[in-house]
Amino acid sequence: MEKHFKIKISGQVQGVFFRASAKQKADSLNLRGFVRNEPDGSLYAEAEGEEDNLRPFIEWCIKGPQQAYVEKCDVKEGSLSGHRRFIIER
């Protein structure tokens, strides 16, 4: 079953290749959506796809890439948006 999640990640998450790593992880799990830096220093991502593929992506977001330090990861379910692929927004 396809689902959509909105994810806000706080901590030392900008300037540590988090967005590029998130895209790589999402692509490996056949997820669609986006990730972007937020002005407050956090990251915001939306991901949709099969629920079994979303779970490992969310677990990965809670830890992030090796250089990151995730203090908080808020996940909320949303409505499917029809994203075609996973992109890094600037």
Side-chain angles (χ1 to χ4, degrees):
M1 177 178 197
E2 292 226 330
K3 292 198 171 196
H4 178 103
F5 287 101
K6 299 175 180 186
I7 307 162
K8 182 168 180 167
I9 307 156
S10 305
Q12 182 68 39
V13 295
Q14 290 189 12
V16 294
F17 302 102
F18 205 114
R19 291 178 302 157
S21 299
K23 178 179 176 12
Q24 196 171 41
K25 185 67 173 176
D27 287 347
S28 75
L29 293 166
N30 296 314
L31 299 177
R32 303 171 311 278
F34 66 86
V35 62
R36 69 176 178 233
N37 285 334
E38 294 290 286
D40 67 359
S42 68
L43 287 177
Y44 178 73
E46 291 192 15
E48 61 186 34
E50 291 297 323
E51 186 174 6
D52 289 343
N53 294 345
L54 285 162
R55 272 190 232 117
F57 181 74
I58 292 167
E59 289 170 11
W60 180 87
C61 287
I62 292 168
K63 297 176 184 172
Q66 187 176 11
Q67 307 92 321
Y69 174 71
V70 176
E71 291 177 5
K72 189 175 183 182
C73 185
D74 291 321
V75 180
K76 296 181 180 167
E77 191 167 350
S79 300
L80 289 172
S81 298
H83 295 288
R84 293 186 171 169
R85 57 192 169 101
F86 197 92
I87 62 168
I88 297 171
E89 287 191 348
R90 307 253 179 242

